Amino acid sequence: MSTNKKIKTDNNKIFQDIIDFEILTSIINYLLVCKKKKIKNNNNNNNNNNNNNNNNNNKNNKNNNNNNTSDQYKINKFYLNRNEILNYILVSKKWYNFISLTISNNIINNKLFEHWLEINYDNNNNNKSFIENYNNQNQYDKNNLILNREHFFKQYKISFNKEFSIIKMQESIINDYFKFNLFLDYITINDFKEIKMKFENNQLVYNRIVVNGEGNQKEILFTIHEYVSNENSEIILNLFKILELNYDFYLYGGYSPKSKEEDEGNKKYTEIYFNNLSIIGYIEDEDEDEETVKIFKIFKGKNIFYEGSDVERSNLTHINYSALFDPDNSGQQVESIQIQSELGNEEFVEALHLIKVNQFENLHSITIPISPFQILSNLSEEMGFHILYRNDTGSGNSDNMKSELNEMINSIITSKSLKNLNISSVNSIKFRPDEYFNRYDGNGDLDIFANKLNETLESFSNSFKPLFSESNTSIERIELDCCGLLNINTFSNLLNNKSIKYLYLNNCDFIVYSSKPTDLGSQLHEEPISINQYLFDNIFSSSLTSIRHYKILFYTSKQLKLIFNLILNNIFKLQLYSLIFEFDENQLVGEFVKEYKILINNISTQQQQQQQKSNNINLKEIKIKIKDDEYIQELNNINNPFFTTVIR
């Protein structure tokens, strides 16, 4: 890129190309980069002569595509923002050339071809094994982008290398990439042996072989596992640096190690490695299954998704996840663990299962369901109070819940690698302590019951306080279902924390209980305390906060009105960059549109009264997640000079 040329703008200001292109690069990065994995790239503006600098080096860069050297442009963001990108391209030929070059270079430099081009499993590889596909040079379709929108695929056509196409890449670069990267949708034991043989004899022409398998292929994996357990461990370990497995399958009947020797890992070599590993399964007709997760001792996944529950069964088997969250079992290669609980049952991860999280060296993301009411009930019993809740299976009970809960939180906050923490609740019902008062052995004294209840809630809440107050943690993103059980004190030292950038608190309004006399006698009174009001007035409005993004799930129009009032009251003090709005019911979107318009008008009035400037507002984005298109046009038509409105 030349830095001597100049662009003359309509207002007669003159900018050097480098300034103009830096602005464009920032815009394109914002539109196309996945925010979760953003790494600054200083080489994004290389000229076209650099496109070919690594054409012949692919073979030497074995499986390095995860070592990000720049921002990775995502195909789904390209699709969602394509109209805006087209608008910038139409400004001038210079802008068009630069944007096209920037996007193309990013795909090339980050080796993203398999994400941007359709892999022809159906056309070329259908029912063909590795041996039959060997040296296949035509694995892709450059005329289609495939965008996975949750549970279904859509095909979006895009032209490459045409006169006015956005993406231009030399055909030779794409061909070279697929020359050394093979993509399969299954693998056989004979394929595996053939790959190993060629690898040992330095005859393997591919530097990366990706297998995206699912369904009934698990038996092949167990056969491969049995085979590698008798092979040279160093060769097998190096082979899995080239062979990238991504599998999704059911384990009907769960899993049990075949022998104590295998369980303890004393065999010479018993592991096969996966990039992404998704498993559903458990041992049926057992109250607790602590064996199935031991499959991760022989199937080592980098990104693990596990679901051990079955909503259709009346007698649920509870999973003991301790081995899964133990690096001695699951391995130090683990980067993310997600536990799924089907809607309708109460399968959850216990506090005791997570006490070894801080022993992982590469684990950056945890997504788990817990049972807050079960924890609360155990704490209540420990404090000599009363059983407040019991789940259907009776699982998750402990005589040392306070200690285990503190150990869990301590393990999480002392982890050196953990960046993203998502804790949901399996308790779909609202906590109703009044239902337990009639069984409370306290001589019917409602005052004592209310005080004991508040003490129990205080104990629960205090256990989570270090998660938000500890200053020296690695966690940047927290999503937590509070279930109305965390009080203001939990967040009182949040300004001490300098790592959290993204915060999502669901069901966060706290309840204080007391006895209230009525005509029918004393009743348990609930006094709601707004955690959102505390956060907006004391945390988000302080220059000491590190939090820049806050997400809210709305259940009622009353919540909407409160949040918009809090935004207005703190608009010139808020340190947030973005607010993300989600809605439990789509009808609330209509209420949102109405309140949003009122907010904009009120900010304009307040701005004039206080003689404030728009650039004194730190809040830049209002993001809205909606389920259908009913209100999109109305949202787009809102004249908003203060925020960018992003509709998802």
Side-chain angles (χ1 to χ4, degrees):
M1 179 186 67
S2 171
T3 58
N4 297 319
K5 294 181 180 179
K6 297 180 179 179
I7 302 173
K8 191 170 183 179
T9 61
D10 292 338
N11 58 3
N12 294 321
K13 291 183 179 179
I14 296 179
F15 293 95
Q16 288 188 347
D17 284 359
I18 185 67
I19 299 175
D20 207 34
F21 291 167
E22 281 294 333
I23 294 171
L24 275 179
T25 300
S26 298
I27 293 173
I28 297 302
N29 284 348
Y30 177 80
L31 291 173
L32 298 183
V33 171
C34 178
K35 298 297 187 298
K36 292 180 182 178
K37 224 176 184 181
K38 187 171 182 179
I39 303 172
K40 183 65 179 174
N41 173 31
N42 294 321
N43 299 317
N44 212 27
N45 297 332
N46 290 346
N47 61 33
N48 204 30
N49 291 331
N50 289 330
N51 284 349
N52 300 320
N53 61 355
N54 285 322
N55 285 358
N56 299 318
N57 294 332
N58 284 335
K59 193 171 183 178
N60 298 323
N61 296 326
K62 293 183 178 180
N63 208 26
N64 281 337
N65 58 307
N66 288 324
N67 298 328
N68 300 337
T69 57
S70 63
D71 295 332
Q72 291 195 6
Y73 292 166
K74 301 297 179 182
I75 184 175
N76 60 334
K77 299 200 78 176
F78 175 85
Y79 166 71
L80 293 172
N81 298 309
R82 66 197 185 286
N83 289 336
E84 187 167 351
I85 293 172
L86 284 171
N87 287 335
Y88 295 125
I89 280 176
L90 294 174
V91 170
S92 70
K93 186 175 181 180
K94 185 183 291 290
W95 281 33
Y96 161 72
N97 288 335
F98 177 75
I99 291 172
S100 176
L101 180 64
T102 300
I103 295 175
S104 300
N105 278 349
N106 184 276
I107 298 172
I108 294 168
N109 294 339
N110 286 292
K111 303 179 179 69
L112 298 174
F113 298 106
E114 70 256 34
H115 302 293
W116 284 76
L117 304 173
E118 179 184 2
I119 305 300
N120 282 332
Y121 291 123
D122 294 332
N123 296 331
N124 292 319
N125 297 346
N126 192 29
N127 296 322
K128 291 183 179 180
S129 67
F130 161 78
I131 298 170
E132 292 170 306
N133 270 299
Y134 204 71
N135 271 333
N136 176 18
Q137 297 296 306
N138 187 25
Q139 298 181 65
Y140 66 95
D141 182 353
K142 68 175 182 293
N143 295 313
N144 288 291
L145 292 180
I146 299 300
L147 175 58
N148 185 0
R149 297 299 303 273
E150 295 183 355
H151 303 299
F152 61 92
F153 285 95
K154 282 190 177 181
Q155 237 179 32
Y156 300 101
K157 294 202 170 178
I158 178 172
S159 9
F160 277 67
N161 300 336
K162 300 296 168 87
E163 185 178 358
F164 298 111
S165 60
I166 299 176
I167 299 176
K168 294 185 176 180
M169 296 181 291
Q170 291 185 21
E171 198 76 26
S172 61
I173 295 176
I174 305 175
N175 288 333
D176 280 350
Y177 180 80
F178 284 101
K179 181 179 180 181
F180 297 112
N181 291 264
L182 178 66
F183 299 90
L184 303 169
D185 57 357
Y186 76 97
I187 190 173
T188 67
I189 183 61
N190 289 332
D191 291 335
F192 186 87
K193 291 177 179 179
E194 183 77 10
I195 293 170
K196 175 181 170 291
M197 182 194 71
K198 290 183 180 298
F199 176 75
E200 284 184 287
N201 296 325
N202 292 319
Q203 296 174 345
L204 195 63
V205 299
Y206 300 107
N207 62 48
R208 180 167 167 253
I209 301 172
V210 181
V211 184
N212 296 309
E214 59 180 23
N216 59 357
Q217 299 181 30
K218 64 179 182 296
E219 297 304 327
I220 296 173
L221 298 176
F222 282 105
T223 303
I224 292 174
H225 159 248
E226 188 66 28
Y227 171 74
V228 302
S229 65
N230 298 308
E231 296 298 310
N232 182 288
S233 61
E234 184 177 356
I235 291 175
I236 297 299
L237 186 60
N238 287 327
L239 176 60
F240 278 110
K241 294 177 181 178
I242 293 174
L243 183 59
E244 182 180 308
L245 303 181
N246 302 292
Y247 272 83
D248 178 358
F249 59 86
Y250 283 85
L251 270 178
Y252 296 104
Y255 167 80
S256 293
K258 291 182 179 179
S259 65
K260 182 179 179 182
E261 182 183 52
E262 183 177 314
D263 186 17
E264 295 175 353
N266 292 329
K267 293 187 74 173
K268 182 173 65 173
Y269 195 81
T270 61
E271 302 153 347
I272 61 177
Y273 286 83
F274 298 79
N275 182 45
N276 299 306
L277 179 59
S278 177
I279 295 177
I280 300 175
Y282 61 98
I283 299 175
E284 299 178 7
D285 301 320
E286 295 283 346
D287 292 334
E288 182 173 279
D289 176 6
E290 62 180 26
E291 298 297 315
T292 297
V293 293
K294 291 179 181 177
I295 193 172
F296 297 107
K297 192 175 186 70
I298 63 170
F299 287 180
K300 300 287 190 184
K302 183 183 293 184
N303 303 295
I304 295 173
F305 176 98
Y306 179 66
E307 181 182 329
S309 55
D310 188 344
V311 71
E312 296 179 357
R313 285 175 49 83
S314 56
N315 297 320
L316 295 176
T317 299
H318 181 54
I319 307 298
N320 186 324
Y321 297 93
S322 297
L324 175 55
F325 288 96
D326 182 351
D328 288 339
N329 179 81
S330 299
Q332 290 292 1
Q333 83 291 333
V334 176
E335 294 185 5
S336 69
I337 299 176
Q338 180 177 349
I339 305 298
Q340 176 71 30
S341 179
E342 283 284 352
L343 183 65
N345 71 40
E346 296 186 359
E347 173 58 15
F348 57 92
V349 178
E350 297 179 40
L352 186 63
H353 300 163
L354 298 167
I355 61 176
K356 293 186 177 181
V357 162
N358 60 355
Q359 296 181 17
F360 284 97
E361 296 174 359
N362 297 295
L363 179 63
H364 59 70
S365 299
I366 293 177
T367 300
I368 56 169
I370 66 171
S371 179
F373 297 169
Q374 188 73 14
I375 295 173
L376 190 69
S377 187
N378 277 262
L379 290 175
S380 178
E381 288 185 81
E382 278 186 39
M383 297 170 69
F385 182 33
H386 182 68
I387 298 174
L388 295 174
Y389 175 82
R390 277 290 181 264
N391 59 39
D392 294 336
T393 63
S395 55
N397 294 320
S398 172
D399 296 329
N400 300 296
M401 181 56 72
K402 182 66 175 178
S403 174
E404 292 172 6
L405 190 57
N406 289 342
E407 281 189 84
M408 177 192 84
I409 297 297
N410 182 67
S411 183
I412 289 172
I413 64 175
T414 56
S415 168
K416 300 299 183 185
S417 61
L418 191 62
K419 300 293 183 185
N420 308 298
L421 178 65
N422 186 328
I423 302 179
S424 60
S425 169
V426 297
N427 303 125
S428 56
I429 60 173
K430 181 182 178 182
F431 181 54
R432 297 300 302 270
D434 53 317
E435 296 178 359
Y436 300 95
F437 174 64
N438 293 331
R439 291 176 292 192
Y440 165 57
D441 186 17
N443 298 320
D445 191 324
L446 194 57
D447 283 324
I448 295 177
F449 180 84
N451 289 336
K452 289 287 187 181
L453 181 58
N454 289 331
E455 288 177 17
T456 305
L457 290 169
E458 181 78 16
S459 177
F460 177 91
S461 188
N462 285 342
S463 294
F464 283 85
K465 187 174 182 177
L467 192 60
F468 301 98
S469 59
E470 182 63 39
S471 59
N472 188 28
T473 74
S474 61
I475 303 173
E476 298 177 357
R477 181 188 184 100
I478 294 180
E479 299 192 26
L480 178 64
D481 190 339
C482 303
C483 289
L485 303 179
L486 300 183
N487 61 20
I488 284 177
N489 187 50
T490 310
F491 308 99
S492 59
N493 292 328
L494 190 52
L495 293 179
N496 292 342
N497 184 289
K498 301 304 178 186
S499 65
I500 301 175
K501 304 293 188 295
Y502 182 104
L503 185 63
Y504 172 26
L505 301 177
N506 188 22
N507 293 313
C508 64
D509 282 352
F510 183 69
I511 303 293
V512 176
Y513 297 92
S514 63
S515 173
K516 184 177 182 179
T518 68
D519 293 339
L520 301 176
S522 295
Q523 292 186 350
L524 190 65
H525 175 67
E526 299 181 357
E527 183 68 32
I529 306 296
S530 175
I531 300 300
N532 275 320
Q533 181 163 352
Y534 175 80
L535 291 174
F536 273 84
D537 291 345
N538 298 277
I539 306 299
F540 300 155
S541 297
S542 170
S543 60
L544 299 177
T545 185
S546 63
I547 298 169
R548 294 293 177 261
H549 310 277
Y550 186 56
K551 185 163 69 170
I552 311 165
L553 175 60
F554 292 99
Y555 296 92
T556 66
S557 57
K558 184 179 178 181
Q559 287 177 300
L560 272 170
K561 291 179 183 294
L562 172 64
I563 293 300
F564 278 114
N565 283 334
L566 292 172
I567 295 172
L568 179 64
N569 294 339
N570 296 282
I571 189 62
F572 298 112
K573 297 183 294 181
L574 282 178
Q575 302 300 307
L576 294 173
Y577 181 85
S578 73
L579 279 167
I580 303 98
F581 293 79
E582 290 186 340
F583 306 95
D584 184 54
E585 298 289 343
N586 199 59
Q587 63 188 31
L588 288 173
V589 180
E591 289 288 325
F592 169 85
V593 173
K594 177 176 142 187
E595 294 295 331
Y596 194 29
K597 292 177 180 177
I598 294 173
L599 173 68
I600 293 168
N601 291 333
N602 288 339
I603 292 175
S604 298
T605 301
Q606 195 176 107
Q607 188 180 43
Q608 293 171 2
Q609 291 173 348
Q610 299 183 18
Q611 296 182 340
Q612 294 276 2
K613 297 180 180 180
S614 295
N615 57 11
N616 289 340
I617 299 177
N618 293 311
L619 185 63
K620 302 300 182 186
E621 288 184 349
I622 301 290
K623 297 181 180 180
I624 312 148
K625 293 189 175 183
I626 55 181
K627 299 176 182 177
D628 58 44
D629 300 340
E630 182 179 354
Y631 295 97
I632 287 182
Q633 190 61 48
E634 189 173 359
L635 284 165
N636 285 332
N637 291 336
I638 295 176
N639 183 18
N640 179 6
F642 305 110
F643 324 115
T644 299
T645 305
V646 181
I647 304 171
R648 295 181 175 180

